[in-house]
């Protein structure tokens, strides 16, 4: 039922191709690459970067555009990172929502307790290492890189899961443990992005628009039709909404919610999150890598399947627009991100996982050893997608952002470390 390679090719292969093209382009013709990234698509007064800020990041040549009296610039980078990536985060939120709300959800009950504790360790450990080493390097370095503390907290679900299966075998309980940890890590990452990395000056009152959109679409397209259909066997109202309106009310609500986030100063890529819980969902879930998910007919899964191919293309452009870093930009932020991931993740996951399993008495899944937590920590150190995204919002375009992005790209070395750690700690691979 679990076809990991299909997931990797669906959601990560185009991302990797885009990232490789970006690296080659940025290191052969950096000027044209950076002007492609910040290419203006629409000069307006509604959405995009502030015009004065865009002139700085675009650099020499912005004068050739005759823009008139406008305040905003919708750039290629803004379109992908702030608008289209909202669909990627909506899919991630869908998995987290089902894991939390469904009766058999993977993040419910005692079975999730130890992975959740380990997740906390996998975030506090990298933060402590990143900020601790930055402070040790001096106040100037600390001031320059401190805002990137969240970059090494991320775990790339797809790549980590693939490497976990290579190291432990498909049937090892540590693989399921790793998947729970990665899902919880994504959930925490969404909260961190919303709280600690606003995209502008905060205007919380605009969140009322997002709240109104979520409540309104739930009441009008979900709760009210079911209430009107009470005691009616044919369920005419619910059928009309499902067949005639389908996803349209939720699309309108999503646009309103996105705009509310953008105006509130929160990162607009998270703007669809309030709408996800309002969409009718199945009473069970088979998991993010399960082929069986395609046979569920609820609207939430239908929307996810409809977004599958568009999101693949979005991830290609995300890699293209965010991974273009010159190798000469490797600097202190690179090594701090790497240290946070490769040192902080295993230490944090081992420490918090051991506390949960031992002193707190929550235990580990049958067949798992304490030392397996070290290997899980190494696997979870593959940050990549979300680390790149956090780096792009934590720092303004420039040397520090580029150095931090390089650390996120280099986190693939954790795959090699994981395989070596598995051999040294005598992990017994278990087939499915």
């Amino acid at each position: 039922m679990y076809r990991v390679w299909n997931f990797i090719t669906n959601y990560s292969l185009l991302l990797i191709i885009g990232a490789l093209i970006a690296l080659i382009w940025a290191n052969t013709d950096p000027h044209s690459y950076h002007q492609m990234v910040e290419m203006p698509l629409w000069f307006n007064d509604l959405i995009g970067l502030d015009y004065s800020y865009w002139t700085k990041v675009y650099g020499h040549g912005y004068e050739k555009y005759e823009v008139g009296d406008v305040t905003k610039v919708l750039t290629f980078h803004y379109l992908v990172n702030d608008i289209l990536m909202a669909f990627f985060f909506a899919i991630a939120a869908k998995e987290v929502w089902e894991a939390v709300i469904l009766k058999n959800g993977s993040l419910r009950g005692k079975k999730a307790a130890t992975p959740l504790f380990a997740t906390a360790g996998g975030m506090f450990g990298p933060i402590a290492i990143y900020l601790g080493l930055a402070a040790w390097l001096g106040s100037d370095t600390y001031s320059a890189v401190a805002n990137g503390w969240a970059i090494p907290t991320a775990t790339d679900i797809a790549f980590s899961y693939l490497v976990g299966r290579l190291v432990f075998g498909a049937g090892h309980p540590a693989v399921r443990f790793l998947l729970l940890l990665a899902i919880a890590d994504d959930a925490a990452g969404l909260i961190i992005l919303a709280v600690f990395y606003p995209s502008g000056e905060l205007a919380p009152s605009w969140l009322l628009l997002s709240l109104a959109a979520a409540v309104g679409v739930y009441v009008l397209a979900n709760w009210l039709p079911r209430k009107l259909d009470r005691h009616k066997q044919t369920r005419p109202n619910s059928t009309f909404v499902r067949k005639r309106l389908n996803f349209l009310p939720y699309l309108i609500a999503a646009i309103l919610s996105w705009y509310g986030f953008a105006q509130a100063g929160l990162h607009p890529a998270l703007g669809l999150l309030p709408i996800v819980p309002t969409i009718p969902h199945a009473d069970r879930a088979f998991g993010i890598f399960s082929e069986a998910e395609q046979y569920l007919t609820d609207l939430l899964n239908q929307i996810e399947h409809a977004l599958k191919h568009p999101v693949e293309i979005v991830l290609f452009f995300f890699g293209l627009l965010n991974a273009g870093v010159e190798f000469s930009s490797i600097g202190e932020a690179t090594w701090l991100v790497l240290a946070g991931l490769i040192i902080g993740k295993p230490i944090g996951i081992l420490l918090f996982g051991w506390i949960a399993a031992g002193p707190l008495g929550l235990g580990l899944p049958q067949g798992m050893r304490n030392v397996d937590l070290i290997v899980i920590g190494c696997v979870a150190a593959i940050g990549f997608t979300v680390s790149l995204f956090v780096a792009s919002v934590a720092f303004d375009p420039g040397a520090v952002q580029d150095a931090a992005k390089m650390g996120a790209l280099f986190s693939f070395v954790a795959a090699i470390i994981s395989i070596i750690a598995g051999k040294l700690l005598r992990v017994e691979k278990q087939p499915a």
Side-chain angles (χ1 to χ4, degrees):
M1 297 298 286
Y2 290 90
R3 299 193 175 183
V4 182
W5 177 245
N6 287 347
F7 184 89
I8 296 298
T9 55
N10 288 341
Y11 288 100
S12 299
L13 193 58
L14 284 176
L15 171 66
I16 294 172
I17 293 172
L20 289 174
I21 293 173
L23 279 172
I24 295 170
W25 190 348
N27 282 279
T28 53
D29 190 354
H31 179 70
S32 68
Y33 172 78
H34 290 297
Q35 292 212 323
M36 178 275 296
V37 170
E38 299 299 342
M39 179 175 61
L41 303 176
W42 182 33
F43 295 99
N44 66 96
D45 294 313
L46 294 174
I47 60 173
L49 300 177
D50 289 336
Y51 176 76
S52 59
Y53 179 75
W54 171 76
T55 60
K56 296 177 183 177
V57 296
Y58 187 82
H60 178 69
Y62 78 88
E63 312 91 357
K64 66 185 177 183
Y65 294 99
E66 296 182 6
V67 302
D69 186 20
V70 300
T71 58
K72 300 284 187 180
V73 185
L74 175 63
T75 64
F76 195 7
H77 186 267
Y78 188 94
L79 174 66
V80 172
N81 274 45
D82 294 58
I83 299 177
L84 299 180
M85 279 297 286
F87 295 108
F88 170 81
F89 285 111
I91 289 177
K94 179 257 186 186
E95 299 297 333
V96 173
W97 174 247
E98 289 182 334
V100 171
I101 199 68
L102 297 182
K103 186 176 180 180
N104 65 337
S106 57
L107 295 181
R108 287 173 65 94
K110 187 177 179 180
K111 64 183 176 181
T114 302
L116 288 176
F117 266 88
T119 299
M123 303 191 83
F124 292 133
I127 292 170
I129 294 294
Y130 181 93
L131 292 179
L133 288 177
W136 179 72
L137 290 172
S139 58
D140 289 343
T141 298
Y142 184 87
S143 298
V145 304
N147 202 46
W149 58 269
I151 299 171
T153 64
T155 295
D156 191 293
I157 294 181
F159 289 111
S160 295
Y161 188 70
L162 175 65
V163 174
R165 283 174 63 107
L166 290 174
V167 173
F168 290 102
H172 200 291
V175 174
R176 183 66 178 171
F177 188 100
L178 173 65
L179 184 56
L180 294 181
L181 183 148
I183 292 173
D185 192 283
D186 262 19
L190 294 176
I191 295 171
I192 287 174
L193 276 171
V195 174
F196 295 100
Y197 293 101
S199 61
E201 292 186 15
L202 292 177
S205 60
W206 274 98
L207 290 178
L208 293 174
L209 176 60
S210 297
L211 177 62
V215 173
V217 75
Y218 175 77
V219 171
L220 296 176
N222 195 335
W223 177 82
L224 184 59
R226 286 188 285 110
K227 184 175 179 62
L228 294 174
D229 285 340
R230 191 176 294 177
H231 309 305
K232 295 179 182 178
Q233 217 169 15
T234 58
R235 303 182 64 197
N237 298 288
S238 298
T239 301
F240 173 81
V241 170
R242 186 178 70 254
K243 290 187 174 181
R244 296 293 181 87
L245 300 182
N246 201 254
F247 65 86
L248 183 60
Y250 300 95
L251 176 60
I252 295 171
I255 293 171
L256 292 173
S257 181
W258 180 91
Y259 192 71
F261 266 63
Q263 295 299 109
L266 299 181
H267 202 286
L270 306 178
L272 306 192
L273 302 192
I275 308 303
V276 172
T278 72
I279 303 173
H281 58 80
D283 59 359
R284 56 180 175 162
F286 295 97
I288 192 170
F289 298 108
S290 179
E291 183 188 18
E293 288 266 306
Q294 66 182 297
Y295 300 110
L296 295 174
T297 58
D298 59 289
L299 184 58
L300 186 57
N301 274 288
Q302 287 177 2
I303 291 174
E304 181 186 37
H305 299 149
L307 288 175
K308 173 179 171 291
H309 293 302
V311 167
E312 294 171 25
I313 297 170
V314 169
L315 288 175
F316 167 79
F317 285 110
F318 175 79
L320 178 67
L321 298 181
N322 290 275
V325 183
E326 297 176 57
F327 290 113
S328 60
S329 66
I330 294 175
E332 292 170 330
T334 305
W335 310 120
L336 290 172
V337 170
L338 267 181
L341 286 165
I342 293 173
I343 300 173
K345 279 277 186 185
I347 292 176
I349 288 173
L350 173 63
L351 179 60
F352 277 63
W354 174 81
I355 291 173
L360 294 182
L362 297 174
L364 290 171
Q366 186 175 359
M368 258 191 72
R369 308 167 299 162
N370 282 327
V371 292
D372 290 335
L373 291 169
I374 300 175
V375 184
I376 289 174
C378 294
V379 176
I382 303 173
F384 197 48
T385 311
V386 182
S387 288
L388 271 177
F389 189 88
V390 177
S392 71
V393 300
F395 301 114
D396 290 332
V400 177
Q401 185 191 91
D402 288 349
K405 285 182 176 181
M406 192 62 80
L409 293 172
F410 283 171
S411 69
F412 272 121
V413 74
I416 300 172
I417 295 173
S418 301
I419 294 171
I420 295 172
K423 297 291 185 184
L424 294 176
L425 297 175
R426 298 180 181 179
V427 168
E428 295 185 7
K429 296 181 69 171
Q430 297 181 19

